[in-house]
Amino acid sequence: MRDLYDYIKDTANIDFEHMGITETDNVIFSRLAYLNLSDFTGKTIEFAAKHIEQYEDDAKNIIKTKELLFALAQTKRFKYTYIEKASEIVSEDAGSAFYAVKFKTDKEHSFIAFRGTDEKITSLYEDAELAYKFPIPSQIAALNFVKEAIKENNERLYIGGHSKGGNLALFSFVFLNENARKRIIRTYNNDGPGFPKELIKLIIKPDIAAKITNLAPE
């Protein structure tokens, strides 16, 4: 079975200006959001791969994600991608946690990736909140992150995330105003929870749904 590394090898010499962001690129960027890239804002993926620290006690998924970062740094497609902005918010009572990172792929496009559930108790708590509370603090933080990105320049954006991060991507897109939504090319929900059915009927109109892709593993 082909995997991300096959894709990375196949597209290694194709930069984003010649082939735009794909569904698989979305999966890659959403995976990278599990790394702490805050120290590398303004730097390239190549730079981050050379300087990110490795720890023996890293969780298995973090080790695998760092290996992915190292592979990306060897390609023309990803090595020059900038880690333009990162934001982490943990509430004082540790009741909510939020992390987002913005990747600049070329002059006119960026990808915003939201982190999903990790090993923190906070993340598990917020996952449970999604079942009965709306909105949760992370959803508001995600919306504000995208709004700020839109204000900063005239580029067009892709948004995505895995697990809870996919839900944050959906929320941040759906609750933008109409003009701001025009700046979003596509929103990816990678195996994340959606919204209550009643809410979907009210807000997910055809023009909004056309820009949303839900992906789930077989």
Side-chain angles (χ1 to χ4, degrees), residues 36-49:
N36 183 6
L37 299 173
S38 301
D39 292 339
F40 304 113
T41 54
K43 305 296 184 181
T44 63
I45 281 180
E46 182 182 37
F47 181 93

Side-chain angles (χ1 to χ4, degrees), residues 33-214:
Y34 285 93
L35 297 178
N36 183 6
L37 299 173
S38 301
D39 292 339
F40 304 113
T41 54
K43 305 296 184 181
T44 63
I45 281 180
E46 182 182 37
F47 181 93
K50 289 179 179 178
H51 294 86
I52 196 166
E53 295 185 12
Q54 299 186 65
Y55 301 101
E56 291 184 0
D57 60 348
D58 276 340
K60 184 177 180 180
N61 69 309
I62 298 300
I63 293 173
K64 293 293 186 181
T65 306
K66 287 181 179 178
E67 291 174 356
L68 178 66
L69 178 71
F70 301 148
L72 297 173
Q74 303 302 312
T75 70
K76 177 182 177 182
R77 182 165 181 79
F78 286 96
K79 68 190 298 183
Y80 301 118
T81 294
Y82 274 89
I83 302 162
E84 193 169 62
K85 183 179 181 181
S87 176
E88 182 170 25
I89 303 171
V90 179
S91 64
E92 291 183 3
D93 63 356
S96 66
F98 166 82
Y99 183 85
V101 57
K102 182 184 178 192
F103 298 96
K104 183 75 172 175
T105 57
D106 60 46
K107 293 179 180 179
E108 298 180 355
H109 302 92
S110 288
F111 190 103
I112 293 175
F114 295 107
R115 180 181 294 173
T117 307
D118 55 21
E119 289 77 16
K120 296 177 182 176
I121 295 297
T122 300
S123 294
L124 300 176
Y125 177 78
E126 279 204 312
D127 267 11
E129 278 194 320
L130 283 170
Y132 65 87
K133 186 176 180 181
F134 190 88
I136 62 173
S138 288
Q139 289 172 328
I140 300 300
L143 176 60
N144 289 335
F145 189 92
V146 173
K147 284 182 176 179
E148 287 300 314
I150 289 173
K151 288 180 182 178
E152 288 170 354
N153 53 53
N154 294 320
E155 68 185 347
R156 300 194 69 194
L157 300 168
Y158 292 79
I159 310 172
H162 173 257
S163 183
K164 184 186 78 173
N167 180 274
L168 300 185
L170 279 178
F171 186 94
S172 65
F173 169 62
V174 169
F175 286 93
L176 290 171
N177 64 48
E178 185 176 353
N179 285 333
R181 281 200 302 270
K182 292 177 181 178
R183 297 272 300 280
I184 309 301
I185 296 175
R186 183 143 298 275
T187 300
Y188 293 100
N189 176 17
N190 301 294
D191 201 26
F195 298 149
K197 291 182 179 179
E198 296 78 10
L199 185 62
I200 292 174
K201 292 178 181 178
L202 288 174
I203 63 175
I204 308 296
K205 305 302 180 185
D207 61 319
I208 295 176
K211 289 189 173 185
I212 295 173
T213 297
N214 292 295

